[in-house]
């Protein structure tokens, strides 16, 4: 019942131009890669085999995935909206390197709100008399880029009457972020409805050719802004998810693409030879992708896992321990990492986690503005996200683009957590 402004930094943060450009330049490659993984049953099966034995949520997604494949896909148009997140790792010699934190393949958010942040920071700089600096801020409109992808998928689905359905949470704190994308679609004369899993369960059905109807309206595109964490599901919601996945509607993402975004898949991608297998004949794309990887390690049972677990217990500050979860606040660091790993190191449970090298960016000073929080200068680090959009019809990729960026900044005392978790705030890159 309370409306607050979205939190933001007072000032834009410095971002090395070369790394910013590198992140944009690799986005189409990441789009290709995610799309390739989503079509590679053998890879998904092998990669997730150990994880689904111990992680119920991934297992349930995987069961739906297999069920859909057995029945045969009704969907022929595929829409991916992802966001690849990076931090700038500071080397011993003081140079910064672009390191991917993760790629989000479902419900990647803040493309809407951040379409406004460059204007906010431009205004602040002008008020401070920095008109010249204000003119250097880059225009950025992910809302438009994401809507372009959704509109293309809607068009290829091929029914003027059909709507785009935003699948949203019961209580949606981030509604204005979604409205920015929604309004771009209305501007293109595309009808948008907002529904919850519960609505789909109660009012959803498929016809004989598996066209999806919800409350009497045919749905061309399902855009998930929910369904990425276990708490989003009860038995009915799982049934609704299955209904959506079985349908002909374009799911953004389909369940295979959601699985392609798991931490376990990310870790397997870093194994020598894996990228080459997934993107045959694309050595340049493979090199660009690999150049962004931090060290990632499997905790699967066996000698390799035993060794890295022991290394991390001995030197926990070098690593981050990650479960198969999204949305921030799930990772383990430092002493807590050591304790948890010590406890599970001899049990199969450890395979539900991966280990990653900890990225150590150079902090800078800024003010974080958040409703009801005192204003104080903080030492901060930033995370850059690049939005990617692609559309595939059958085997033909008809759209593949970077759609804009997101800079999120947080105080260094928080190891983890995004904007939604109340830790990071919206920022604008100032290229240096
Ligand atoms: P989630 O899916 O929960 O967003 P992430 O992998 O993005 O998981 O991690 C959440 C946050 O934890 C990131 O936004 C970042 O602040 C921090 N983090 C994740 N991985 C690393 C890393 N390797 N080094 C340093 N910080 C990290
Ligand atoms: Mg993240």
């Amino acid at each position: 019942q309370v409306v607050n402004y979205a939190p933001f930094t007072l000032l834009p943060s410095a971002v090395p131009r070369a790394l910013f450009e590198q992140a944009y330049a690799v986005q189409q490659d990441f789009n290709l890669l995610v799309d390739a993984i989503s079509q590679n049953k053998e890879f998904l099966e092998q990669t997730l085999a150990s994880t689904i034995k111990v992680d119920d949520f991934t297992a349930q997604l995987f069961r739906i995935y297999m069920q859909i494949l057995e029945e045969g896909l009704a969907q022929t148009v595929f829409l991916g909206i992802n966001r690849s997140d990076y931090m700038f790792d500071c080397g011993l010699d003081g140079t910064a390197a672009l390191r991917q934190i993760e790629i989000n393949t479902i419900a990647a958010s803040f493309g809407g709100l951040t379409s406004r942040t460059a204007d906010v920071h431009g205004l602040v700089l002008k008020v401070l008399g920095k008109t010249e600096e204000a003119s250097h801020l880059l225009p950025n409109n992910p809302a438009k880029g994401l809507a372009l992808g959704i509109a293309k998928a809607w068009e290829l689905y091929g029914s003027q009457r059909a709507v785009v359905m935003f699948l949203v949470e019961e209580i949606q704190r981030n509604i204005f972020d979604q409205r920015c994308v929604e309004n771009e679609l209305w501007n293109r004369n595309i009808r948008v409805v907002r529904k919850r899993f519960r609505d789909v369960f109660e009012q959803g059905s498929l016809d004989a050719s598996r066209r999806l109807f919800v409350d009497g309206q045919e749905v061309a595109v399902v855009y998930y802004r929910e369904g990425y964490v276990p708490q989003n599901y009860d038995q009915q919601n799982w049934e609704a998810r299955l209904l959506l996945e079985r349908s002909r509607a374009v799911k953004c993402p389909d369940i295979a693409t959601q699985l392609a975004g798991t931490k376990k898949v990310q870790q397997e991608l870093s194994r020598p030879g894996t990228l080459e297998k997934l993107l045959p004949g694309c050595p340049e794309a493979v090199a660009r992708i690999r150049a962004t990887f931090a060290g990632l390690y499997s905790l699967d049972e066996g000698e390799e896992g035993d060794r890295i677990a022991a290394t991390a217990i001995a030197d926990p500050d070098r690593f981050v321990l990650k479960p198969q979860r999204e949305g921030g606040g799930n990772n383990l660091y430092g002493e807590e990492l050591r304790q948890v790993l010590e406890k599970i190191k001899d049990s199969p449970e450890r395979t539900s986690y991966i280990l990653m090298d900890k990225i150590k960016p150079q902090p800078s000073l800024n003010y974080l503005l958040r409703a009801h929080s005192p204003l104080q200068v903080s030492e901060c680090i930033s995370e850059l996200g690049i939005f990617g959009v692609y559309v595939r019809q059958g085997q033909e990729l008809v759209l593949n683009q970077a759609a804009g960026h997101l800079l999120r900044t947080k105080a260094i005392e928080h190891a983890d957590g995004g904007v939604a978790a109340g830790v990071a705030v919206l920022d604008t890159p100032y290229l240096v």
Side-chain angles (χ1 to χ4, degrees), residues 19 87-91 95-99 358-362:
L19 302 190
M87 280 170 144
F88 312 115
D89 196 24
C90 186
T95 56
L98 188 73
R99 289 287 169 258
K358 190 170 174 184
I359 310 305
K360 296 178 173 157
Q362 180 73 49

Side-chain angles (χ1 to χ4, degrees), residues 401-413:
Q401 292 182 356
H405 57 268
L406 167 71
L407 193 71
R408 290 173 300 168
T409 293
K410 64 180 186 185
I412 51 168
E413 47 269 26

Side-chain angles (χ1 to χ4, degrees), residues 83 85 101-102 104 263 326-328 383 408:
R83 200 189 66 224
D85 290 336
I101 295 294
E102 64 155 348
N104 303 282
K263 307 283 191 285
E326 303 294 329
E383 185 168 344
R408 290 173 300 168

Side-chain angles (χ1 to χ4, degrees), residues 20-287:
F20 183 83
E21 285 170 0
Q22 184 188 353
Y24 262 94
V26 72
Q27 187 54 46
Q28 285 170 303
D29 304 325
F30 271 117
N31 291 345
L32 276 181
L33 178 63
V34 171
D35 190 41
I37 297 168
S38 79
Q39 297 172 77
N40 193 326
K41 172 167 172 263
E42 199 193 345
F43 175 77
L44 283 174
E45 239 177 336
Q46 279 178 8
T47 301
L48 296 173
S50 58
T51 309
I52 61 180
K53 281 193 202 134
V54 287
D55 187 275
D56 292 343
F57 179 62
T58 312
Q60 181 61 26
L61 293 172
F62 196 81
R63 266 194 292 277
I64 294 180
Y65 168 61
M66 292 305 271
Q67 189 174 341
I68 301 302
L69 286 185
E70 261 159 49
E71 191 182 11
L73 290 184
Q75 182 178 348
T76 56
V77 177
F78 297 82
L79 164 65
I81 291 181
N82 61 55
R83 200 189 66 224
S84 182
D85 290 336
Y86 307 89
M87 280 170 144
F88 312 115
D89 196 24
C90 186
L92 293 172
D93 60 354
T95 56
L98 188 73
R99 289 287 169 258
Q100 188 182 49
I101 295 294
E102 64 155 348
I103 188 157
N104 303 282
T105 61
I106 180 165
S109 56
F110 292 107
L113 291 185
T114 206
S115 298
R116 312 289 169 89
T117 36
D119 279 348
V120 173
H121 289 115
L123 175 65
V124 172
L125 289 178
K126 285 178 195 170
V127 170
L128 292 171
K130 309 237 175 246
T131 314
E132 166 70 17
E133 286 84 347
S135 72
H136 294 170
L137 296 180
L138 298 171
N140 182 35
N141 198 343
K144 201 166 191 146
L146 304 190
L148 177 82
I150 297 173
K152 187 75 199 167
W154 175 85
E155 180 194 315
L156 292 174
Y157 179 88
S159 168
Q160 282 291 325
R161 294 182 314 276
V163 301
V164 171
M165 179 171 82
F166 282 36
L167 196 93
V168 296
E169 288 171 56
E170 202 77 31
I171 297 168
Q172 194 68 68
R173 282 200 312 156
N174 205 13
I175 185 168
F176 295 108
D177 183 52
Q178 299 162 3
R179 291 284 192 206
C180 293
V181 180
E182 179 179 334
N183 290 344
E184 292 286 344
L185 291 166
W186 285 108
N187 287 343
R188 292 164 178 270
N189 300 320
I190 297 173
R191 296 186 65 78
V192 177
V193 297
R194 298 172 56 85
K195 300 280 181 189
R196 301 160 301 179
F197 272 130
R198 179 154 40 120
D199 303 314
V200 175
F201 179 81
E202 285 168 3
Q203 310 159 355
S205 62
L206 305 186
D207 74 1
S209 56
R210 284 198 261 160
R211 287 184 303 171
L212 172 67
F213 290 84
V214 177
D215 197 15
Q217 281 175 311
E218 184 175 358
V219 177
V221 179
V222 180
Y223 176 42
Y224 287 104
R225 293 298 296 258
E226 110 115 316
Y228 53 92
V229 285
Q231 302 87 284
N232 294 155
Y233 292 96
D234 55 16
Q235 191 51 39
Q236 291 191 352
N237 289 5
W238 279 119
E239 278 178 45
R241 179 75 195 255
L242 178 62
L243 183 88
L244 297 175
E245 293 301 320
R246 291 184 60 229
S247 80
R248 189 181 201 85
V250 184
K251 271 78 65 183
C252 179
D254 67 341
I255 201 146
T257 305
Q258 181 173 359
L259 288 169
T262 52
K263 307 283 191 285
K264 183 63 190 170
V265 165
Q266 180 188 8
Q267 172 260 304
E268 280 298 310
L269 293 176
S270 74
R271 264 189 213 286
T274 304
L275 288 176
E276 284 80 356
K277 258 187 240 151
L278 290 165
L279 293 175
C282 310
E284 286 158 0
V286 165

